[in-house]
Structures are given as structure tokens and as C-alpha cells.
Amino acid sequence: MMQALEARGAEVVGLSRSADGLDITKETSVTQTMGSLLGPFDLIFVATGALTVNGSAPEKSIGALSADALRDQFEVNAIGPALVLQHALRLLAKDGRTVIAVLSARVGSIGDNRIGGWHAYRASKAALNQLVHGAAIELKRTHKQAVCVSLHPGTVATEFTAKYAGRHTTVPASEAAQNLLSVIDGLTPRQSGGFYDYAGETVPW
Ligand SMILES: NC(=O)c1ccc[n+]([C@@H]2O[C@H](COP(=O)([O-])OP(=O)(O)OC[C@H]3O[C@@H](n4cnc5c(N)ncnc54)[C@H](OP(=O)(O)O)[C@@H]3O)[C@@H](O)[C@H]2O)c1
């Protein structure tokens, strides 16, 4: 996403755990790093997430659930992005069309879940979607032209999917980034608070 935005001539501030020490599961880390930013930003894009945390692979059944794995998933996929959202609202430009986009996952859709499994990851993304939806409602009060959404990137060839993509066709990260930027470009403030896939189609909650 950074490369795709820079190729458009955008000035991008990228933050990561490896380069900046930003650990989204640690509130003080988020407060320090995000608190040091001035903005205002036209686009805030949250690209973090994990399917395997602390070695716990996605569960095949509810019987395989563990409290630790659930907690870990919620910390990375829901609580972390929510802490970033807290600061994002302050850092977003007030004038003109602005966007906050957070990478979620179609498997976090309750309506689309037909096979079970992957409980902690699914539930953490469903929680994330609720947080993004709620933030979007509040954002509208101060930023009339803002768009705040959850996005499903498709099945993308990253470390994340290396073990699990299986029979699914993957797209390279560069292609996924272009798809997501096209979706972001096309979203209107009326669509704020929604959950969209890489083609701009609404994903059921
Ligand atoms: N790839 C797919 O097919 C796919 C499909 C649906 C949804 N998604 C979603 O898309 C997002 C990105 O996935 P990806 O495929 O790009 O995965 P990835 O290559 O594993 O990248 C995930 C990124 O999140 C960062 N991260 C993880 N835990 C963190 C923490 N506690 N603090 C700060 N950064 C942390 C990682 O940083 P480090 O480098 O420091 O570990 C890494 O840069 C995720 O939210 C995922 O759920 C991906």
C-alpha cells in the first residue's frame, strides 16, 4: 500500500513494529507513536493483523478453542486497530473527503460463515468490524466528508497466507493494493461505516 500510494505521488508516513517499535497490542506503544504524529492526514490505512499469534494455528473446531488464543487474536485484530482508530480520528483532516480504512477479512462476516472453524480469528474480525462501524458513526459528526470502513483485501500472497491459501487463488500484494486503492477512491461518505471487499462489493456483517 505504501508503494502504491508513493507511486501516485502521495507523501506517506508508514509505521511498523519492526521499524518504529509500534506494537498495536500495547496501549503505551500506540499512544507514544501515534501521539507523536501531527497530521492532518487524508488517508489512514490500518494494515496490521494476524492469523497465527504466539504459535496458535486457526482452530478446526470449537473444541480446539483456547482462552489464550482467543485473547491473542482479539489483542492483535480488534483491540490494536481500535487503539489506532482512537488517534486516527484526531489525525484526520477536517476538510474535504478523507478516509480511514482498516483491513478486516471476509471470514469475519457472521452472515458469510457456512463452515465454522477459525473461531478466534473470525470473532476478532467481527469485533473489529463493529468498532470500525461505531467509529464511523461518531466521525460523521465532526468530519462530514469522511469515509471510515473495513476492507477485505482478497486472498493475497503474503506470509500470512503462505500456509493457508491452499486451493485459493492468490493475488500479489501489489495487485491487492491497487484493488484496495480503487475501492477507496470510489467510496462515498454515504458508504462510511460499511464492510467492502476488494471489488467494492458490500460484505454481509
Ligand atoms: N493475506 C490475505 O489473504 C488476507 C486475507 C484477508 C484479510 N487479510 C488481512 O489483511 C491484513 C494484512 O495481512 P497480510 O496478509 O499483509 O499479513 P502479513 O504479511 O503477515 O502482515 C501483517 C502485518 O501486521 C503486523 N503486525 C502483526 N502484529 C502486530 C503488532 N502486534 N503490532 C504491530 N504490527 C503488527 C506485522 O508486523 P511484523 O512484520 O512486525 O510482524 C505485519 O507487518 C490482516 O489484517 C489480515 O487479517 C489478509
Side-chain angles (χ1 to χ4, degrees):
M1 284 299 289
M2 275 188 70
Q3 285 165 7
L5 285 163
E6 279 166 352
R8 286 178 162 199
E11 191 187 332
V12 185
V13 176
L15 296 172
S16 71
R17 182 161 55 177
S18 52
D20 309 283
L22 170 61
D23 185 336
I24 56 160
T25 64
K26 302 208 163 33
E27 194 164 0
T28 48
S29 173
V30 178
T31 304
Q32 262 173 22
T33 312
M34 297 295 290
S36 69
L37 299 176
L38 289 177
F41 294 94
D42 301 317
L43 167 65
I44 296 175
F45 191 87
V46 184
T48 52
L51 182 58
T52 300
V53 187
N54 293 329
S56 297
E59 316 84 4
K60 291 209 168 87
S61 68
I62 201 89
L65 264 187
S66 92
D68 283 343
L70 261 173
R71 210 174 286 120
D72 286 345
Q73 283 288 332
F74 271 76
E75 279 191 349
V76 176
N77 291 322
I79 299 171
L83 294 175
V84 174
L85 275 179
Q86 277 193 313
H87 294 270
L89 265 56
R90 169 182 72 79
L91 291 168
L92 204 63
K94 285 217 162 142
D95 301 322
R97 181 180 169 278
T98 51
V99 178
I100 298 176
V102 183
L103 284 184
S104 181
R106 189 187 298 278
V107 297
S109 161
I110 296 170
D112 195 56
N113 182 358
R114 293 180 186 86
I115 55 171
W118 290 30
H119 298 286
Y121 180 69
R122 284 183 189 277
S124 67
K125 291 294 191 181
L128 169 68
N129 290 342
Q130 175 72 276
L131 289 158
V132 170
H133 182 75
I137 292 169
E138 292 173 21
L139 186 64
K140 209 182 275 296
R141 296 177 192 145
T142 50
H143 298 65
K144 303 271 176 254
Q145 295 302 311
V147 174
C148 177
V149 288
S150 289
L151 296 177
H152 167 64
T155 307
V156 187
T158 62
E159 261 182 51
F160 183 100
T161 42
K163 267 197 5 252
Y164 299 99
R167 289 158 290 146
H168 295 277
T169 311
T170 57
V171 296
S174 55
E175 191 178 325
Q178 292 300 341
N179 291 339
L180 293 170
L181 279 184
S182 299
V183 173
I184 286 170
D185 287 343
L187 289 169
T188 66
R190 286 187 58 196
Q191 291 173 286
S192 190
F195 182 17
Y196 304 97
D197 71 8
Y198 55 91
E201 298 295 328
T202 297
V203 182
W205 295 118

